[in-house]
Amino acid sequence: MNRFPKWVIHLGLGIICAAMMVPFYWVLKTSLTGENIFAYPPALIPENPHLFYYVDVWYSIPFFRYLVNSVIVSIIVVVANVVLNAMAGFALTREFMGKGAIIMLFLSCMMIPFQVTIIPAYLITKEIGLLNSHLGMALPLCSTIVCIFVFKASFDAIPKSLIDAARIDGVPDWMIIFRIMVPLSQSAIATNIILAFIWSWNNFLWPLIIIRDNDMQTLPLGLARFLTVVEDSTGALYAFCIMVLVPGLVIFLLAQKQFIAGLTSGAAKG
Amino acid sequence: MALAIRRKRTRELLLIWFFLAPSLLIFLLYRIIPLLWNGVLSFEFWSPYKPAEFAGLYHYEEMLIYDDVFWQAFWNTAIFMASAPIGILIALMVAILVDTPIRGRNVYRTIVFMSYPVMTVAVGIIWQWLYNEKVGLFNYVLMSLGIVEQGIPFLETASLALPAVIVASIWQVLGFYMIVLLTGLQNIQPSLYEAAAIDGANAWMRFRRITLPLLRPSIFLCFVIGIINSFTNFDLIYVMTDGGPSHATELLVTYIYRVAFKLAKFDYAAALTIVNFLFFVFLAWLANRLSGGEAGAVETG
């Protein structure tokens, strides 16, 4: 592809990037200048930007409550994912009877999208009394097959001689795990944290089904409800959008490298 | 001595199963039991308020023969899926462009990828706004260029609603395709291109003979993601059109949600789920066959 002059490439990428950024820009602009909503033609550059709509959102709906709910669920999911996936990944590095069957079971579970299990999943959650609860929202997301295999690969890559040497020195097994295996699996842990956070932060269908109380709504639910309830306050709706998007984007930009590496390493082995 | 070794071995086995148990329990509770339960439910008359009764193939007959909305949702899902190559093609072009050694390519990559981690509900709201009949950006551009006289209500027009939602969906997933394809491109040995260039192959031939064949696993992976995406894209539809107008954007997953949680017909929704799942498995199998049977395999050793 060297035959293109550089400016052509820059131009092509410029157009694509503009197309990717325009929706973000448009919503940001609208959230800052509500008065232009019904003006025609719409101004391309915000006039008299202000933050009133953000203040509106904060006070007109229990935004803080939604935020706390989202954060609680995300914390449960992230912690559970790292701990449980690491445990399962570690177990799969050992030899035991039925290991092949367990791996087959995990792989076939991957073929069952969560969306096709929602009805019995709802009934089961009802049976164990977790409707309308943080734990109920978090539980289905608490372990992920892709990340189990990421951990397994990471543990497998640790040289056996290192562990044997520690054993000979009389280091107990649990200390081997915390002092050798965990520090050497930092990238797997980072990948898992980021993925689990994004999944739980953006999760919508499951909370929509099991949450009835207003007090238990998470941010995506609040956003979707806001859309149907308040039709005339477009500026506030877009301010709400921006407030919900920012945490995800910030986390992504901070951890971009691991995020992208994690996505591709977890997914691509073909 | 033998006893000590045996005891140690038992302890290790206990530890292994103890480590596996929580994950296994979650998958059992939220994947395997639900799937089996769906199967049972689909052959029963059942609602939360009355005891189950055997229904045979009643729900399946109802669905396949009499339910027009089911077929609509089925075809919409298929169309949604068939649109995946468009996104993959655009992503391939972008991936090739950002793979060239130009200044600022990391910035370009980041910008293209930024739409992926964004909350889908928010994406739906933003795009609904862009499509707005009176104040949406699309109509503004179309009217400014003099292509249309009046704003088009994209999401309220039956023939335009599904393509409109698909465009939004491609916008969101484009960056992810790009990263997968870029990884594939970077794994191709540069020496292959050099050798081909010495042999007199032009850029197009190098692309056809080297890039495309070696990129096949990555392209396949994008297809799989596209298929999964078309089966699970609930949030976007729910926010943008809620399946309307008159089921023009209904997907199987939104229809299942509607039947189960709006109409409380859990048994019928279970039958829908089983058909949805079989369709999904069939496609995954087909894709795997077409790609040579090896793709997507995870090293199990």
Side-chain angles (χ1 to χ4, degrees):
Chain A
M1 295 293 127
N2 299 331
R3 64 206 169 121
F4 290 122
K6 289 222 159 108
W7 67 268
V8 175
I9 298 175
H10 278 294
L11 185 71
L13 285 172
I15 291 171
I16 296 270
C17 286
M20 298 308 287
M21 291 308 283
V22 159
F24 286 122
Y25 174 71
W26 207 247
V27 78
L28 182 66
K29 190 209 79 170
T30 312
S31 75
L32 292 172
T33 61
E35 78 265 32
N36 304 350
I37 289 171
F38 298 105
Y40 188 87
L44 294 181
I45 296 159
E47 294 161 11
N48 312 320
H50 57 75
L51 292 175
F52 295 150
Y53 289 110
Y54 290 83
V55 182
D56 254 17
V57 169
W58 191 268
Y59 288 110
S60 68
I61 54 162
F63 182 86
F64 187 69
R65 181 74 223 178
Y66 296 165
L67 181 71
V68 169
N69 287 335
S70 270
V71 169
I72 293 174
V73 174
S74 293
I75 289 175
I76 300 176
V77 169
V78 168
V79 172
N81 257 286
V82 172
V83 175
L84 300 187
N85 295 343
M87 276 162 56
F90 178 76
L92 289 183
T93 60
R94 300 301 184 86
E95 289 307 321
F96 60 97
M97 230 183 68
K99 182 180 170 185
I102 293 284
I103 287 179
M104 277 313 292
L105 187 78
F106 281 175
L107 291 180
S108 44
C109 278
M110 255 167 139
M111 286 295 296
I112 310 173
F114 181 68
Q115 278 79 356
V116 310
T117 65
I118 50 174
I119 299 158
Y122 166 78
L123 297 173
I124 288 170
T125 309
K126 198 170 153 194
E127 280 305 307
I128 51 182
L130 288 179
L131 288 186
N132 263 325
S133 70
H134 294 122
L135 190 59
M137 278 191 269
L139 197 55
L141 292 176
C142 277
S143 180
T144 326
I145 297 149
V146 173
C147 292
I148 290 178
F149 284 105
V150 170
F151 271 111
K152 177 183 175 330
S154 166
F155 290 145
D156 275 338
I158 297 172
K160 288 274 176 292
S161 54
L162 204 63
I163 293 163
D164 290 340
R167 281 232 172 89
I168 289 166
D169 287 349
V171 183
D173 271 5
W174 60 270
M175 205 126 117
I176 293 180
I177 292 176
F178 281 101
R179 284 294 174 77
I180 298 176
M181 306 194 83
V182 171
L184 285 175
S185 309
Q186 265 170 8
S187 77
I189 294 172
T191 303
N192 202 174
I193 290 175
I194 299 157
L195 286 177
F197 173 77
I198 299 277
W199 286 328
S200 94
W201 189 256
N202 295 347
N203 193 11
F204 177 63
L205 176 58
W206 181 239
L208 180 71
I209 290 168
I210 69 159
I211 296 302
R212 290 284 165 269
D213 287 1
N214 209 358
D215 268 4
M216 295 299 294
Q217 312 266 344
T218 55
L219 285 171
L221 289 181
L223 191 54
R225 258 165 51 100
F226 200 58
L227 176 69
T228 55
V229 177
V230 218
E231 287 212 339
D232 54 333
S233 61
T234 313
L237 178 62
Y238 294 98
F240 195 170
C241 273
I242 296 289
M243 289 161 87
V244 167
L245 292 188
V246 164
L249 283 181
V250 166
I251 294 234
F252 160 65
L253 289 174
L254 288 179
Q256 216 194 126
K257 247 199 171 130
Q258 270 97 350
F259 188 65
I260 289 171
L263 280 176
T264 43
S265 78
K269 272 279 149 71
Chain B
M1 189 64 195
L3 192 70
I5 291 174
R6 257 233 316 274
R7 274 206 4 223
K8 193 162 184 283
R9 180 75 196 143
T10 318
R11 262 212 342 242
E12 204 194 328
L13 274 179
L14 268 175
L15 187 76
I16 286 171
W17 286 103
F18 173 75
F19 272 17
L20 279 172
S23 296
L24 274 177
L25 190 70
I26 290 170
F27 298 141
L28 207 66
L29 217 54
Y30 284 102
R31 303 279 162 128
I32 296 167
I33 294 177
L35 191 65
L36 301 176
W37 195 341
N38 265 322
V40 175
L41 265 183
S42 72
F43 294 107
E44 283 179 345
F45 294 114
W46 185 89
S47 83
Y49 315 105
K50 62 178 189 212
E53 209 181 303
F54 184 67
L57 290 171
Y58 179 88
H59 298 304
Y60 290 97
E61 192 188 342
E62 170 86 20
M63 178 193 336
L64 298 173
I65 298 174
Y66 302 107
D67 189 351
D68 292 340
V69 180
F70 161 75
W71 283 108
Q72 173 111 42
F74 182 86
W75 288 118
N76 286 343
T77 305
I79 292 170
F80 212 108
M81 205 157 27
S83 71
I86 303 171
I88 296 171
L89 205 66
I90 300 172
L92 182 59
M93 273 163 30
V94 179
I96 289 171
L97 289 180
V98 292
D99 194 34
T100 50
I102 53 166
R103 214 195 288 218
R105 58 184 179 168
N106 284 327
V107 178
Y108 287 126
R109 285 175 197 172
T110 305
I111 291 176
V112 174
F113 191 72
M114 233 155 82
S115 58
Y116 183 73
V118 161
M119 186 183 289
T120 313
V121 174
V123 171
I125 290 175
I126 296 173
W127 279 80
Q128 197 192 33
W129 175 237
L130 295 177
Y131 283 127
N132 188 289
E133 182 184 355
K134 297 204 181 67
V135 289
L137 182 66
F138 286 111
N139 279 314
Y140 171 63
V141 171
L142 288 177
M143 283 194 278
S144 307
L145 296 175
I147 296 171
V148 293
E149 291 280 301
Q150 273 203 320
I152 305 167
F154 287 98
L155 295 175
E156 287 85 42
T157 312
S159 57
L160 295 176
L162 188 61
V165 174
I166 287 174
V167 169
S169 160
I170 289 177
W171 178 82
Q172 195 184 13
V173 80
L174 191 69
F176 188 73
Y177 288 154
M178 177 199 72
I179 292 295
V180 173
L181 294 170
L182 186 62
T183 312
L185 281 175
Q186 287 174 344
N187 282 338
I188 298 175
Q189 299 289 332
S191 58
L192 287 174
Y193 290 111
E194 283 155 22
I198 291 168
D199 288 345
N202 63 30
W204 171 244
M205 273 163 71
R206 285 190 304 240
F207 177 72
R208 275 277 315 272
R209 299 295 164 114
I210 300 173
T211 311
L212 269 189
L214 288 175
L215 215 52
R216 230 172 69 158
S218 308
I219 293 175
F220 171 76
L221 185 64
C222 288
F223 267 109
V224 172
I225 294 158
I227 292 175
I228 295 175
N229 202 26
S230 58
F231 269 96
T232 56
N233 214 323
F234 177 84
D235 312 9
L236 206 59
I237 303 273
Y238 182 89
V239 172
M240 285 180 77
T241 63
D242 197 17
S246 60
H247 302 293
T249 55
E250 195 82 77
L251 297 185
L252 286 171
V253 55
T254 58
Y255 190 46
I256 290 169
Y257 171 78
R258 194 184 311 285
V259 170
F261 296 99
K262 292 271 160 75
L263 308 176
K265 288 176 13 185
F266 288 93
D267 43 6
Y268 189 55
L272 286 168
T273 303
I274 293 295
V275 171
N276 186 9
F277 176 67
L278 292 178
F279 186 27
F280 175 74
V281 169
F282 168 74
L283 283 167
W285 171 82
L286 195 70
N288 206 17
R289 278 297 296 272
L290 290 179
S291 73
E294 281 302 316
V298 177
E299 286 165 285
T300 50

